[in-house]
Amino acid sequence: MSGFNFDVITLFPKAFELINNLGVITRALDKNLIDVNLHDLREYGEGSYRQVDDKPYGGGAGMVLKPEPIYKAYESIRKSPNSKTLLMTPQGKVLKQKDLARWSTLDQIIIICGQYEGFDERIRCLADEEISIGDYVLSGGEIPAISIINGLTRLLPGTLGDPDSLVDESHNSSLLEYPQYTRPLTFKDMKVPDILVSGNHEEIKSWRRKKSFERTLERRSDLISNENYKKSPQSKRIIKENNQFMKFRIGNEYDIYPDW
Ligand code: SAH
């Protein structure tokens, strides 16, 4: 095995052609930083119709994926000792950036995609983790799987041209990113803030932190749950300036900006 291996069990392998058209992810494939191995569930189906689904016991709408084909597909995959199996389900833990970071130190991820009304309950015991990509229901696990492959691959060394671009971005530190501008300086009467063209790097850094914090308070105050924020003089001042957004939750999940 070379690079990071994604092994995906899916009824719709063609959906993964998207990965060949996703910029940096395609480059990671070309550079052999990742391999995406697709395991077509249909090939493990039963009988001459290659049946993979059946009606639910107890009645109800739709079809449910049978356990045998998924187990057979799973058993056919060569597993590395440093591997995890993820099951795509809207009933799972909601995916966070810190999960992608945690998995990026593995060398293989096996992803099981559901379809139709879902899957037989006995499939759950194959999974190390059950993952949802948000509180909504899609028709299959392929788009969630592609999201994980995409998000994880951009964290692997060598994928992005400039690894610094990972440092400041939204959700890396639990804060959203500050506003970004590029040329032209004025566009439809909207001017780039003077500070960004001042050349004063210390002030730019501090302006960006302030904006990042304000933006998070405004849009996602649920992300600001660290006592550290409230202790630091800078954040106290910004919180005071923004006291209309003071409805944030209190918790201890994040540990960020210790230099504040
Ligand atoms: N009836 C099921 C939903 C089935 S949706 C239930 O209520 O739980 C069909 C398949 O799409 C699921 O098995 C899962 O693999 C995938 N899927 C749908 N929404 C998803 C989400 N938000 N996150 C991850 N996978 C999802």
Side-chain angles (χ1 to χ4, degrees):
M1 290 189 191
S2 69
F4 197 108
N5 273 272
F6 293 98
D7 284 89
V8 187
I9 301 176
T10 170
L11 251 186
F12 294 96
K14 281 206 172 124
F16 291 83
E17 283 172 12
L18 178 60
I19 289 175
N20 296 320
N21 297 289
L22 285 176
V24 289
I25 309 307
T26 313
R27 219 169 56 214
L29 273 174
D30 293 343
K31 292 206 284 190
N32 293 322
L33 295 173
I34 61 165
D35 277 315
V36 180
N37 314 305
L38 301 171
H39 305 272
D40 186 348
L41 190 56
R42 187 65 64 190
E43 286 176 19
Y44 300 89
E46 301 187 314
S48 49
Y49 290 107
R50 299 246 166 241
Q51 189 185 354
V52 294
D53 57 344
D54 209 336
K55 287 184 282 204
Y57 273 117
M63 300 292 270
V64 171
L65 291 179
K66 291 164 64 60
E68 309 92 311
I70 292 194
Y71 268 73
K72 272 197 212 141
Y74 187 76
E75 279 155 12
S76 77
I77 297 171
R78 196 171 129 207
K79 288 166 200 78
S80 130
N82 196 15
S83 153
K84 265 199 195 303
T85 301
L86 310 180
L87 179 62
M88 302 297 98
T89 162
Q91 302 178 20
K93 197 166 61 112
V94 176
L95 181 66
K96 295 278 192 279
Q97 186 66 23
K98 63 179 184 216
D99 298 314
L100 298 173
R102 184 164 58 82
W103 299 329
S104 69
T105 62
L106 300 171
D107 45 42
Q108 181 187 34
I109 281 191
I110 302 170
I111 303 181
I112 304 174
C113 303
Q115 269 292 334
Y116 312 124
E117 276 311 303
F119 40 76
D120 186 288
E121 190 66 15
R122 291 162 289 187
I123 287 164
R124 290 192 195 277
C125 54
L126 293 177
D128 296 306
E129 298 182 43
E130 296 190 15
I131 299 297
S132 161
I133 62 160
D135 292 337
Y136 44 84
V137 181
L138 303 173
S139 65
E142 286 71 19
I143 291 172
I146 291 171
S147 305
I148 290 173
I149 295 171
N150 185 312
L152 198 154
T153 300
R154 58 192 292 291
L155 298 181
L156 298 176
T159 300
L160 296 186
D162 180 359
D164 275 354
S165 53
L166 295 173
V167 177
D168 282 338
E169 69 188 356
S170 302
H171 298 299
N172 189 37
S173 64
S174 92
L175 289 185
L176 303 181
E177 198 181 49
Y178 45 79
Q180 294 272 33
Y181 295 87
T182 184
R183 278 180 284 193
L185 197 53
T186 303
F187 174 70
K188 292 189 190 290
D189 292 336
M190 293 177 279
K191 195 168 175 295
V192 175
D194 291 337
I195 182 91
L196 295 180
V197 287
S198 67
N200 184 333
H201 296 295
E202 273 312 304
E203 281 195 21
I204 293 175
K205 209 167 141 192
S206 126
W207 180 87
R208 285 181 162 166
R209 281 187 176 172
K210 180 172 183 289
K211 287 290 167 193
S212 200
F213 197 87
E214 285 176 356
R215 177 154 282 199
T216 313
L217 271 178
E218 262 171 50
R219 300 179 178 216
R220 291 293 308 275
S221 58
D222 60 301
L223 295 177
I224 300 180
S225 54
N226 191 334
E227 293 297 315
N228 282 348
Y229 271 125
K230 282 171 271 155
K231 278 189 227 136
S232 81
Q234 286 93 331
S235 56
K236 268 192 190 146
R237 182 170 45 74
I238 298 170
I239 287 174
K240 217 167 149 194
E241 285 167 13
N242 288 278
N243 58 2
Q244 69 269 38
F245 301 120
M246 279 289 288
K247 291 179 239 116
F248 58 83
R249 273 189 232 145
I250 295 173
N252 265 321
E253 200 183 340
Y254 301 103
D255 186 16
I256 40 172
Y257 282 147
D259 54 326
W260 265 41

